[in-house]
Amino acid sequence: MKPIKVGLLGLGTVGTGVVRIIEGHQEDLQRQIGSPIEVAQILVQNKSKSRDVAVDSDKLTESPWDIINNPEIDVIVEVMGGVEETKEYLLSALNQGKHIVTANKDLMAIHGPEILLKAAENGCDVFYEASVAGGIPIIRALVEGFSSDRITKIMGIVNGTTNYILSKMSQEGAAYAEVLKEAQDLGYAEADPTSDVEGLDAARKMTILSTLGFHANVSLGDVNAKGISEVSKEDILYGKKLGYEVKLLGIAENHDGHIAVSVQPTMVKNSHPLSSVNGVFNAVYIYGEAVGETMFYGPGAGGLPTATSIVADLVAVVRNLKLGVNGRTALAPYKEKKLKTDEQITSKNFILLHVEDKAGVLAQITQIFAQHEVSLESVLQHPNANNPKAEIIIITHDAIQASIKKVLKQFESMDVIHAIKSVYRVEG
Amino acid sequence: MKPIKVGLLGLGTVGTGVVRIIEGHQEDLQRQIGSPIEVAQILVQNKSKSRDVAVDSDKLTESPWDIINNPEIDVIVEVMGGVEETKEYLLSALNQGKHIVTANKDLMAIHGPEILLKAAENGCDVFYEASVAGGIPIIRALVEGFSSDRITKIMGIVNGTTNYILSKMSQEGAAYAEVLKEAQDLGYAEADPTSDVEGLDAARKMTILSTLGFHANVSLGDVNAKGISEVSKEDILYGKKLGYEVKLLGIAENHDGHIAVSVQPTMVKNSHPLSSVNGVFNAVYIYGEAVGETMFYGPGAGGLPTATSIVADLVAVVRNLKLGVNGRTALAPYKEKKLKTDEQITSKNFILLHVEDKAGVLAQITQIFAQHEVSLESVLQHPNANNPKAEIIIITHDAIQASIKKVLKQFESMDVIHAIKSVYRVEG
């Protein structure tokens, strides 16, 4: 039987995982797809570098075009990363009728629509399960498992690096900078951690999930992203005291076609399962009108887990190939995108203030919430013996975001309020 | 456009949910499948009974054959339950080229292979996502999400009734009989609860999951099932003291093709996410060689959640119909089934003994474990002031099941051991 030939762009951790799974599970894969599957050519940066996995040196190339222009290659697996150049490679491969499996969330979040359109024009598949939440089959769940339902909310921990940092800060009472350094030493965070810690990586994943879940073309610019670099160990400590863990959550909501997507450090009630997702694990909650609430949990990164998703996509491509239906299973977004305004976004909030420690201040503060029709779930005042200022923690009921912004603006101009130390969304 | 016509067998809670979703989500479903979808005929027991959902009375029939023999019907949705008669209906429908979506775990666990074979012969789809864990797309995860991996273990809470009972017993310190009565009054347990509380329902679901996960024809008779009717409130209390919750777990393991599948009340460490799955929720852990550990959580029952899975299957059938690939996407089990012997099954164990309260007894007991090479993780002796007998709780390290059986047999013949009060598998 003629083998299916795969061209692999990239042989880092994930690429190595792909080679390992295709070789190690060859017999099972043949049963799944009805023919052998072979990594026929591999793009590397340096052919002479030593490798963690045994690969025939004849298969290595330093030029992507050797693979893209190779007529024998049926499917391209892209695990090299990068955006603009990589896009050119993939568009060119699609023009030559090659199917694509990619783990590249940056590319799919930014150029997904263009790539998927090109795929449709050429009757090709583009699958990208590995681009979100590593080994968790979350895209399949959204696209197929809940094809019958209307998704109202997707909420998840989709970045392992920041979850590792926040988990450590919570468990050890350590400061952000200290744990970031440790994560970098362990290889859990990049030398330049901006994309992870400022929430950009999570924003890209939420772009992909909300586009699929809500059937509207959500773009990266629609996601309101805030990272964890300002989360203090005091915030985490206060959260704990009140029964919350700080987690970087991606939250996508859809009410009657009005969409809001954000990434932000969030106080998650410790009775909610997301509060106990620790370390580099990922978890995604999906709420559907009919199904109610569901959760998907698993490894968010790592060579083999991510490669599991990639090779599962490869199996799907080859099954389609055998059935002659490539390029015919994707569903383009069909809903008009209407973004929520601040008047339409509601949530609970956690607000920590430093205030003048004198009579009447609390009354003044609660009065301002009342003016803007924000009702309060709890107010905790913390007198500080060493300090003339007191700390007040306020947890609101569900409140309109625009109203909260007005309240905070008014606080800024009040002499008795020394500082708005922190403001978090509250979930769970 | 010609609508897809669905014949619905059964209009109970789930059938009503199916009608509601097909009507309520009609526009989205049309986008998904490219044509309208219509519940054209419905089998009911009594045409004149009043209904929770508005259905055209012309569509109701009391004879399944009206639907099975109706040439206009494209897909049968079976939510009537039952095994032998229902099988005849479905086989007959398949012979007439109709596709099947079913929520019937009893039928699929017992006659799955025969039905799937008949479907293949006729080029028909048979999908049954709703048969396990209601609204959780767990079958898709196993079959597609992890098609690339070798599944080594599937462990889950797959019966909502027993999980409701055990959760209540744990939260309220209540006795089994009392909570069962309450569950029956609330409609969470049947008047005859045997199938749920004796673990048969869970065994059927584990049959389905292990067949799909391990690619071997696991049959219901291969599942070692024990229910919760002997779980005492004392067991739950002692478990709690040591950091465990009692859960009815289905556990399917596969090591190098040697399979063991069981259902049993299990002590689950409270750091393990399954320990905090409460009420009628279901959750399934899947362990794969490459992916590591993943978990899927959601509503295990209920009309709308279960109907979500059914209508998602319906979407899949119709997509295949449009692509002309019905009956060509199923993968029959291809591995020889080799069941593990007691010598090959290992687990930790929790053993509660009532013993004579005198010197040397503990030494005698630990000696017997040592003889059979069972090592102990912890031993807790509980003197009882009102009683000449003492209570001993032993938690073993991973031990061979055959050895544990030999130890227990030896205990039975010892005068100083008054009773082997309980034995639980330990997980987490």
Side-chain angles (χ1 to χ4, degrees):
Chain A
M1 221 170 332
K2 192 170 157 286
I4 300 297
K5 298 209 173 186
V6 174
L8 183 60
L9 305 183
L11 191 57
T13 318
V14 176
T16 303
V18 170
V19 172
R20 288 224 166 95
I21 292 182
I22 290 179
E23 285 177 359
H25 298 186
Q26 184 63 221
E27 200 191 315
D28 282 294
L29 291 171
Q30 288 199 29
R31 293 286 191 161
Q32 300 268 347
I33 61 184
S35 58
I37 185 160
E38 180 196 333
V39 178
Q41 229 175 348
I42 305 174
L43 173 68
V44 294
Q45 281 184 309
N46 178 354
K47 278 172 71 168
S48 47
K49 197 181 135 189
S50 76
R51 308 274 161 202
D52 282 349
V53 65
V55 284
D56 186 346
S57 65
D58 291 351
K59 293 184 172 177
L60 301 181
T61 170
E62 292 175 11
S63 161
W65 301 107
D66 283 351
I67 299 178
I68 294 159
N69 295 326
N70 180 346
E72 299 234 305
I73 299 288
D74 304 291
V75 191
I76 301 275
V77 170
E78 187 273 301
V79 288
M80 63 189 284
V83 177
E84 298 307 329
E85 248 187 340
T86 310
K87 183 186 86 171
E88 294 313 316
Y89 300 155
L90 298 192
L91 291 178
S92 179
L94 289 168
N95 276 332
Q96 298 188 51
K98 297 190 195 318
H99 311 289
I100 309 278
V101 175
T102 175
N104 194 328
K105 70 239 161 205
D106 304 8
L107 180 66
M108 291 310 292
I110 298 168
H111 297 301
E114 183 181 351
I115 289 170
L116 295 169
L117 186 66
K118 179 67 73 183
E121 283 170 15
N122 287 283
C124 290
D125 286 333
V126 173
F127 293 147
Y128 47 103
E129 180 66 77
S131 67
V132 183
I136 311 173
I138 188 70
I139 289 183
R140 281 189 170 71
L142 267 181
V143 171
E144 294 170 24
F146 300 128
S147 61
S148 55
D149 205 357
R150 272 197 287 260
I151 307 299
T152 54
K153 188 172 181 179
I154 303 167
M155 180 164 83
I157 294 170
V158 291
N159 178 274
T161 303
T162 48
N163 201 49
Y164 173 84
I165 293 173
L166 292 173
S167 301
K168 275 274 180 181
M169 287 176 72
S170 170
Q171 285 155 10
E172 299 174 3
Y176 169 73
E178 188 185 322
V179 182
L180 171 60
K181 172 76 176 55
E182 194 186 314
Q184 285 172 320
D185 292 344
L186 286 167
Y188 289 162
E190 314 256 348
D192 175 1
T194 314
S195 161
D196 289 319
V197 301
E198 296 308 339
L200 306 178
D201 174 84
R204 288 171 193 140
K205 291 162 178 169
M206 293 309 295
T207 303
I208 295 171
L209 291 181
S210 52
T211 295
L212 292 169
F214 302 154
H215 302 295
N217 250 323
V218 176
S219 68
L220 191 52
D222 300 329
V223 185
N224 215 324
K226 188 170 181 282
I228 64 163
S229 57
E230 286 168 27
V231 175
S232 69
K233 60 182 182 183
E234 288 73 26
D235 292 347
I236 290 179
L237 205 70
Y238 282 124
K240 262 187 194 296
K241 271 192 195 160
L242 295 167
Y244 297 94
E245 291 285 341
V246 178
K247 294 288 179 192
L248 185 70
L249 292 193
I251 303 175
E253 295 178 289
N254 180 8
H255 295 114
D256 299 327
H258 293 268
I259 292 171
V261 187
S262 64
V263 171
Q264 64 207 294
T266 304
M267 291 279 174
V268 183
K269 201 143 209 175
N270 58 20
S271 55
H272 193 282
L274 285 179
S275 72
S276 51
V277 173
N278 288 318
V280 294
F281 275 88
N282 279 192
V284 181
Y285 252 76
I286 296 178
Y287 298 79
E289 259 181 34
V291 78
E293 76 180 61
T294 59
M295 182 178 78
F296 302 82
Y297 165 94
L304 283 172
T306 307
T308 303
S309 286
I310 289 171
V311 182
D313 276 351
L314 206 46
V315 168
V317 168
V318 180
R319 282 180 181 163
N320 283 349
L321 205 57
K322 302 273 166 172
L323 296 169
V325 298
N326 295 106
R328 294 172 61 196
T329 58
L331 178 68
Y334 57 85
K335 286 194 176 158
E336 192 200 342
K337 178 178 70 186
K338 287 174 283 185
L339 294 177
K340 285 190 180 192
T341 64
D342 281 353
E343 291 288 346
Q344 292 171 306
I345 298 174
T346 61
S347 75
K348 293 187 174 195
N349 300 273
F350 170 108
I351 299 167
L352 171 59
L353 303 174
H354 282 187
V355 304
E356 194 84 27
D357 195 3
K358 66 176 189 189
V361 172
L362 193 56
Q364 267 180 281
I365 288 170
T366 52
Q367 175 59 26
I368 290 170
F369 281 107
Q371 258 175 42
H372 295 285
E373 294 182 351
V374 174
S375 66
L376 305 182
E377 184 183 288
S378 64
V379 178
L380 188 79
Q381 183 153 4
H382 234 251
N384 191 327
N386 309 315
N387 212 313
K389 66 176 194 249
E391 289 173 329
I392 295 183
I393 296 171
I394 292 146
I395 296 185
T396 73
H397 282 299
D398 265 332
I400 293 168
Q401 192 161 302
S403 306
I404 293 292
K405 285 186 177 173
K406 284 179 204 155
V407 167
L408 294 174
K409 202 167 160 62
Q410 221 163 323
F411 283 174
E412 277 169 17
S413 65
M414 285 168 68
D415 287 342
V416 295
I417 296 183
H418 297 183
I420 301 168
K421 290 298 287 182
S422 37
V423 180
Y424 288 90
R425 182 171 172 139
V426 172
E427 286 286 341
Chain B
M1 221 172 329
K2 193 170 156 281
I4 300 296
K5 297 208 172 186
V6 173
L8 183 61
L9 305 183
L11 191 58
T13 318
V14 177
T16 302
V18 171
V19 172
R20 288 224 166 96
I21 291 181
I22 290 179
E23 285 177 358
H25 298 187
Q26 184 63 223
E27 200 192 314
D28 282 295
L29 291 171
Q30 288 198 29
R31 292 287 191 159
Q32 300 268 347
I33 61 184
S35 58
I37 186 160
E38 180 195 334
V39 178
Q41 230 176 346
I42 305 174
L43 174 69
V44 294
Q45 281 184 308
N46 178 353
K47 280 172 69 168
S48 47
K49 198 180 132 187
S50 75
R51 308 276 161 202
D52 282 348
V53 63
V55 283
D56 185 345
S57 64
D58 291 351
K59 293 184 172 178
L60 301 181
T61 171
E62 292 175 10
S63 161
W65 301 107
D66 283 351
I67 298 178
I68 294 158
N69 296 326
N70 180 346
E72 299 234 304
I73 298 288
D74 304 291
V75 191
I76 301 275
V77 170
E78 186 274 301
V79 288
M80 63 188 285
V83 177
E84 298 306 329
E85 250 187 339
T86 308
K87 183 186 86 171
E88 294 313 315
Y89 301 155
L90 298 193
L91 291 178
S92 178
L94 288 168
N95 276 331
Q96 298 188 51
K98 296 188 195 320
H99 310 288
I100 309 278
V101 174
T102 175
N104 195 327
K105 70 239 159 203
D106 304 10
L107 179 67
M108 290 311 292
I110 298 167
H111 297 302
E114 183 180 351
I115 289 170
L116 294 169
L117 186 66
K118 178 67 75 183
E121 284 169 16
N122 288 282
C124 290
D125 286 332
V126 173
F127 293 146
Y128 47 102
E129 180 67 76
S131 68
V132 182
I136 310 174
I138 188 70
I139 289 183
R140 279 189 171 72
L142 267 181
V143 171
E144 293 170 23
F146 300 128
S147 61
S148 55
D149 206 357
R150 273 196 287 261
I151 306 298
T152 54
K153 189 171 182 181
I154 304 167
M155 180 163 83
I157 294 171
V158 291
N159 179 273
T161 304
T162 48
N163 201 48
Y164 173 84
I165 293 173
L166 291 173
S167 301
K168 274 273 179 184
M169 286 175 73
S170 171
Q171 284 154 10
E172 298 173 3
Y176 169 73
E178 190 184 319
V179 182
L180 172 59
K181 173 76 174 57
E182 195 186 314
Q184 286 171 319
D185 292 345
L186 286 167
Y188 290 161
E190 313 255 347
D192 175 0
T194 314
S195 161
D196 289 319
V197 300
E198 296 308 339
L200 306 177
D201 174 84
R204 287 171 194 139
K205 291 163 178 168
M206 293 309 295
T207 304
I208 295 171
L209 291 181
S210 51
T211 295
L212 292 170
F214 302 154
H215 303 294
N217 249 323
V218 177
S219 68
L220 191 52
D222 301 328
V223 185
N224 216 324
K226 186 168 181 282
I228 64 163
S229 58
E230 286 167 27
V231 175
S232 69
K233 60 182 182 183
E234 287 74 25
D235 292 347
I236 290 180
L237 206 69
Y238 282 125
K240 261 186 195 300
K241 272 191 197 162
L242 294 168
Y244 297 94
E245 290 286 339
V246 178
K247 293 289 177 191
L248 185 70
L249 292 194
I251 302 175
E253 294 177 291
N254 180 8
H255 295 114
D256 298 327
H258 293 269
I259 292 171
V261 188
S262 64
V263 171
Q264 65 209 293
T266 304
M267 291 281 174
V268 183
K269 201 141 208 175
N270 58 20
S271 56
H272 194 282
L274 284 179
S275 71
S276 50
V277 173
N278 288 318
V280 294
F281 275 87
N282 279 194
V284 181
Y285 251 76
I286 296 178
Y287 298 80
E289 261 181 30
V291 77
E293 76 180 63
T294 60
M295 182 178 79
F296 301 82
Y297 167 93
L304 282 174
T306 308
T308 302
S309 287
I310 290 171
V311 182
D313 276 352
L314 206 47
V315 168
V317 168
V318 180
R319 282 180 182 165
N320 283 349
L321 205 57
K322 302 273 165 173
L323 296 169
V325 298
N326 295 106
R328 294 172 61 196
T329 58
L331 178 69
Y334 56 84
K335 287 196 175 157
E336 192 199 344
K337 178 179 70 188
K338 288 174 282 184
L339 294 177
K340 284 190 180 192
T341 64
D342 281 352
E343 292 287 347
Q344 292 172 305
I345 298 174
T346 61
S347 76
K348 292 185 174 198
N349 300 272
F350 168 108
I351 299 168
L352 170 60
L353 304 173
H354 281 186
V355 304
E356 195 83 25
D357 195 2
K358 67 175 188 190
V361 172
L362 193 57
Q364 266 180 280
I365 288 170
T366 52
Q367 175 59 26
I368 289 169
F369 281 108
Q371 256 175 44
H372 295 285
E373 294 182 350
V374 174
S375 65
L376 306 183
E377 182 182 291
S378 64
V379 177
L380 188 79
Q381 183 153 5
H382 234 251
N384 190 327
N386 311 313
N387 212 313
K389 66 175 194 249
E391 289 173 329
I392 294 183
I393 296 171
I394 292 145
I395 296 185
T396 73
H397 282 300
D398 264 332
I400 294 168
Q401 190 160 303
S403 306
I404 293 292
K405 284 186 178 172
K406 284 179 204 155
V407 167
L408 295 174
K409 202 166 160 58
Q410 222 164 321
F411 284 173
E412 277 170 15
S413 64
M414 285 167 67
D415 287 343
V416 294
I417 295 182
H418 296 183
I420 301 168
K421 289 299 286 183
S422 36
V423 180
Y424 288 90
R425 181 171 173 139
V426 172
E427 286 286 342

